Amino acid sequence: MSVRVFLNGQIVPQAEAYISIDDRGFLFADAVYEVIHVYGSHLFAWDLHMIRLTEGMQELGYAPVDLGALKTAAETLVAEAGTPESSVYIQVSRGAQPRAHLFPPAGTPATVLLWVRPLTPFSPQLVQQGVDVITVADDRWTKVWIKTVGLLPNVLAKQAAHERGAFEAIFVRDGMVTEATSANLFIVRQGRLQTAPVTNYILPGITRQVVIELAAAMGLDTELRPFAVETMLHSDEVFLTGTLTEVMPIRRVDGHPIAGVGPLSHRLLAALHDRAGRPAE
Ligand code: PDD
């Protein structure tokens, strides 16, 4: 059976899933999205993702969508995929209308898309050795807390990282670290975690929130305070958090080695896997 996706209330073969050329997600990036990590059949932190999706839609003035139908579709398609790990991608746009900047008339249906794709976990060696990252200027708009599909700065920064042999790019605004192209960032200094506070300049990551909770359960405080690139370079550990990135330690920033890869990031990753019900390696 060919892969099926959920589009506008129905599960259809992907080859038959069409979106209008007038869709505002396509024309204006007028759409929000979510990515959910699925461990076995467990849709990890589903409710938190739905809260963030709803908040973004409210901020942009979208009509509500049927979250129950989304969950049923996700469960059905996860079962069909049948892979040990997968990701759910959800995208909601303001709908389709002949191109005009003004919002479409009230009652224009949103375009609601959901698909499930297999996920290949990172190799234990990669997590053990850590990844290299580069820093780039944070030239995104000032409402990045809304998870819109307008990701061109993220795409360009990630590609720049790749072309320099790095795994991720870290955004820097006015000398302060904000986040990565698709992950949040933590530093560890003297056994304390620190990450940028939630403002309009970062995406309030679900994994970031879960990691703060997991750390607290280990007796570790997280300071929510901005930090400079220099501070990051001289930290004991630096790591990324994200739905697809999980907890990924950083080995070098712009070629500058970080003092340690683990052990805290490795402990937090194990705790995350434990919380998600993922079998140990
Ligand atoms: N990205 N910051 C940005 C800019 C992101 O795009 C993401 C997630 C995160 C981490 O958030 P969370 O822990 O909720 O996944 C932080 C998704 C995975 C993506 O675009 O593929």
Side-chain angles (χ1 to χ4, degrees), residues 153-173:
N154 309 53
V155 166
L156 296 178
K158 181 84 175 191
Q159 183 66 23
H162 177 72
E163 287 171 10
R164 286 171 53 189
F167 177 86
E168 252 291 12
I170 307 300
F171 286 122
V172 178
R173 190 184 285 271

Side-chain angles (χ1 to χ4, degrees), residues 12-13 23 28 30 47 61 64 73 78 84 94 103 112 116 119 130 136 162 176 181 183 210 226 243 246 274 277:
V12 294
D23 193 84
F28 295 113
D30 189 353
D47 291 346
V78 164
R94 201 187 299 274
F103 290 179
V112 184
V116 174
L119 259 188
V136 295
H162 177 72
M176 307 305 268
T181 70
V210 170
T243 291
E246 300 187 307
D274 199 44

Side-chain angles (χ1 to χ4, degrees), residues 33-36 49 52 89 140 144 147 151 154 171 179-185 202-209 241-246:
Y33 77 106
E34 281 296 329
V35 185
I36 294 123
H49 284 281
R52 187 171 63 189
Y89 179 82
R140 300 174 298 163
V144 301
K147 199 162 172 55
L151 292 173
N154 309 53
F171 286 122
E179 58 177 342
T181 70
S182 60
N184 295 106
L185 192 96
I202 71 159
L203 184 85
I206 308 286
T207 322
R208 170 188 177 281
Q209 190 52 43
T241 63
T243 291
L244 302 178
T245 317
E246 300 187 307

Side-chain angles (χ1 to χ4, degrees), residues 54-73:
T54 305
E55 285 174 355
M57 288 173 50
Q58 280 171 352
E59 175 68 16
L60 297 174
Y62 293 7
V65 299
D66 182 349
L67 299 182
L70 278 183
K71 189 160 192 195
T72 306

